Amino acid sequence: MELDLAGAELKAVLNRLRRAQGQISGVIRMIEEGRDCEDVVTQLAAASRALDRAGFAIIATGLQQCLTDVEARGNADEDRDQMRARLEKLFLSLA
């Protein structure tokens, strides 16, 4: 299953990942500076949410593309079942 992100989708996912990258850098800096535990955990939670949102956006795009591909090829139910199982596994990996 190959993922093809279009311009706007790609930009949104990359922005989320860059935001998470910045937040993780902030967490590292906060720990090195000996900042308050609550502040560190709050920032870490924000980074985790940003990564989750990026992952869900990728899965949603993949799901849309996979369903379109299966319908376009007119493949058998077996292909749909395999695709569904693969997407379900990806989705659960983020849950």
Side-chain angles (χ1 to χ4, degrees), residues 13-32:
V13 168
L14 290 175
N15 283 341
R16 288 185 191 278
L17 292 173
R18 286 187 183 106
R19 184 176 306 128
Q21 183 179 32
Q23 289 167 327
I24 291 169
S25 293
V27 168
I28 293 169
R29 190 172 40 257
M30 292 169 78
I31 291 171
E32 290 173 343

Side-chain angles (χ1 to χ4, degrees), residues 65-76 79-80 83:
Q65 289 175 3
C66 291
L67 291 175
T68 301
D69 289 350
V70 167
E71 289 174 4
R73 291 189 313 239
N75 287 348
D79 285 343
R80 277 190 205 148
M83 186 65 63

Side-chain angles (χ1 to χ4, degrees), residues 1-75:
M1 170 174 43
E2 191 172 311
L3 182 62
D4 180 28
L5 292 173
E9 295 165 335
L10 177 62
K11 186 176 180 178
V13 168
L14 290 175
N15 283 341
R16 288 185 191 278
L17 292 173
R18 286 187 183 106
R19 184 176 306 128
Q21 183 179 32
Q23 289 167 327
I24 291 169
S25 293
V27 168
I28 293 169
R29 190 172 40 257
M30 292 169 78
I31 291 171
E32 290 173 343
E33 294 171 356
R35 298 273 300 270
D36 181 66
C37 178
E38 187 176 344
D39 294 339
V40 172
V41 171
T42 299
Q43 189 68 15
L44 192 56
S48 179
R49 282 191 304 275
L51 288 172
D52 286 346
R53 287 177 185 246
F56 286 128
I58 290 169
I59 289 174
T61 300
L63 177 61
Q64 181 181 14
Q65 289 175 3
C66 291
L67 291 175
T68 301
D69 289 350
V70 167
E71 289 174 4
R73 291 189 313 239
N75 287 348

Side-chain angles (χ1 to χ4, degrees), residues 73-91:
R73 291 189 313 239
N75 287 348
D77 288 336
E78 182 179 339
D79 285 343
R80 277 190 205 148
D81 291 343
Q82 288 174 350
M83 186 65 63
R84 185 181 88 33
R86 288 168 56 193
L87 290 168
E88 182 178 340
K89 183 178 177 182
L90 285 173
F91 180 78

